[in-house]
Amino acid sequence: MRLLDHKVAIITGAAGGIGTATARLMVDRGASVVLADMNLAAAEAAALPLRRAGGAVLALYLDLADEGSIEAMVRASLAHFGSIDVLHNNAADLTPATAGRDHDIETMPTEVWDRTFHVNLRGTMLCCKHVLPHMVSRGAGSIINTASNLGMQGNLGQAAYAASKAAVIQLTRSIATSHGRRGIRCNTVSPGLVLTQAARDNLPPRLLEIVAGETLTPHLGEPLDVAHAVAFLASDEARYLTGHNLVVDGGTVAHVPGFAQFCNLFEQH
Ligand SMILES: NC(=O)c1ccc[n+]([C@@H]2O[C@H](COP(=O)([O-])OP(=O)(O)OC[C@H]3O[C@@H](n4cnc5c(N)ncnc54)[C@H](O)[C@@H]3O)[C@@H](O)[C@H]2O)c1
């Protein structure tokens, strides 16, 4: 018996990065998986090797900014697999047009704030809203929302992203509270820096060095590190776990400010 046998999972933003890694792991653990993404061609490409290896997967178009598209994605998932046991709200608008202009609030174009909240928070809320009636009718379900360590810490920029992720952490608690007695668990995963291909290609080496200096583990995070946390929260092994914010960041939010300098001061590495 595998961890996720007989479970059907929707993963949003599954066309790349953490979402694809989670889809791969969930299929490996026995789940049937919907890979839902705005980039349908990339979602299809991510699904193909999983299908060839015998996995039950379906790639679907999803635009989190459009409620009709969310409803259609949920309907199509149910029509194909017959049920939804797990919803992993992983997608976020990380495009240059949005995340690339998300500075401090004085310099950020207001439409960047609106777009960030529209996709990252409203889109996440709407996926929950349209999946919940089905989960309630079965008396079971696990929702895992993706936030970020930046939802808990101040940063020089990314003001809209950080506020949207802080709100996702709170949305999780609201759903866990309103729907727990109806058999539905809702948790957050908050990744720290994760070395997706995009992060490897775009982040300057100096930035990675700085983050590594603040990380308690000897390595930075990989997409699979987050995927394992999500698969656990999705599974029945986590049946007593709800309303939680599982931080997957190598301990960067766990330590005292100045940790990297203290390491130098006391010559600890
Ligand atoms: N990579 C990191 O370092 C890191 C750190 C903290 C949190 N996170 C969070 O983890 C999640 C995944 O991050 P990632 O690095 O794998 O990102 P990614 O950019 O590789 O994946 C995001 C996916 O979401 C999709 N998407 C964007 N807008 C959409 C929309 N409107 N509708 C539907 N799909 C849409 C994209 O097409 C993309 O496939 C995000 O929520 C991100 O905020 C990532």
Side-chain angles (χ1 to χ4, degrees):
M1 180 83 178
R2 290 172 296 176
L3 190 69
L4 298 175
D5 271 343
H6 312 302
K7 299 225 185 270
V8 177
I10 292 174
I11 304 176
T12 70
I18 296 168
T20 298
T22 306
R24 202 178 298 128
L25 184 73
M26 283 199 182
V27 167
D28 198 47
R29 297 288 186 266
S32 304
V33 174
V34 176
L35 294 91
D37 204 288
M38 207 173 175
N39 186 343
L40 181 59
E44 299 272 17
L48 194 60
L50 304 180
R51 189 175 298 122
R52 281 191 178 141
V57 289
L58 175 69
L60 288 177
Y61 175 76
L62 167 71
D63 179 4
L64 283 175
D66 171 9
E67 185 168 7
S69 160
I70 294 171
E71 288 184 271
M73 182 277 291
V74 172
R75 259 198 316 273
S77 302
L78 281 171
H80 191 82
F81 285 124
S83 68
I84 302 166
D85 302 283
V86 175
L87 169 64
H88 175 33
N89 281 307
N90 164 75
D93 187 341
L94 304 175
T95 57
T98 304
R101 298 190 297 156
D102 181 7
H103 310 300
D104 65 80
I105 61 161
E106 197 184 348
T107 54
M108 171 208 311
T110 306
E111 76 252 22
V112 167
W113 179 273
D114 292 341
R115 171 77 189 173
T116 303
F117 272 72
H118 205 72
V119 173
N120 297 8
L121 180 60
R122 184 176 181 271
T124 294
M125 178 277 293
L126 286 174
C127 285
C128 297
K129 181 182 168 77
H130 291 294
V131 165
L132 274 171
H134 171 72
M135 289 181 167
V136 166
S137 73
R138 302 179 69 231
S142 173
I143 298 174
I144 303 108
N145 295 325
T146 301
S148 166
N149 60 353
L150 293 181
M152 294 167 281
Q153 294 177 299
N155 196 10
L156 289 172
Q158 297 174 282
Y161 176 80
S164 76
K165 293 299 194 178
V168 165
I169 295 169
Q170 181 53 32
L171 175 69
T172 290
R173 294 191 194 105
S174 296
I175 295 169
T177 306
S178 59
H179 283 72
R181 295 286 176 88
R182 288 181 262 181
I184 291 134
R185 295 182 297 104
C186 187
N187 292 288
T188 303
V189 282
S190 284
L193 179 75
V194 175
L195 293 171
T196 59
Q197 195 54 51
R200 287 182 195 279
D201 292 344
N202 298 319
L203 294 178
R206 180 68 191 126
L207 189 146
L208 297 181
E209 257 174 54
I210 292 169
V211 176
E214 298 289 350
T215 303
L216 303 183
T217 51
H219 49 77
L220 290 174
E222 304 276 348
L224 198 54
D225 292 313
V226 182
H228 277 293
V230 173
F232 166 64
L233 290 172
S235 77
D236 295 338
E237 291 188 357
R239 65 171 212 157
Y240 198 44
L241 232 156
T242 193
H244 190 65
N245 178 18
L246 182 50
V247 181
V248 186
D249 73 338
T252 51
V253 302
H255 59 67
V256 290
F259 166 76
Q261 284 120 306
F262 287 134
C263 284
N264 287 335
L265 183 66
F266 298 114
E267 292 177 349
Q268 285 192 15
H269 301 288

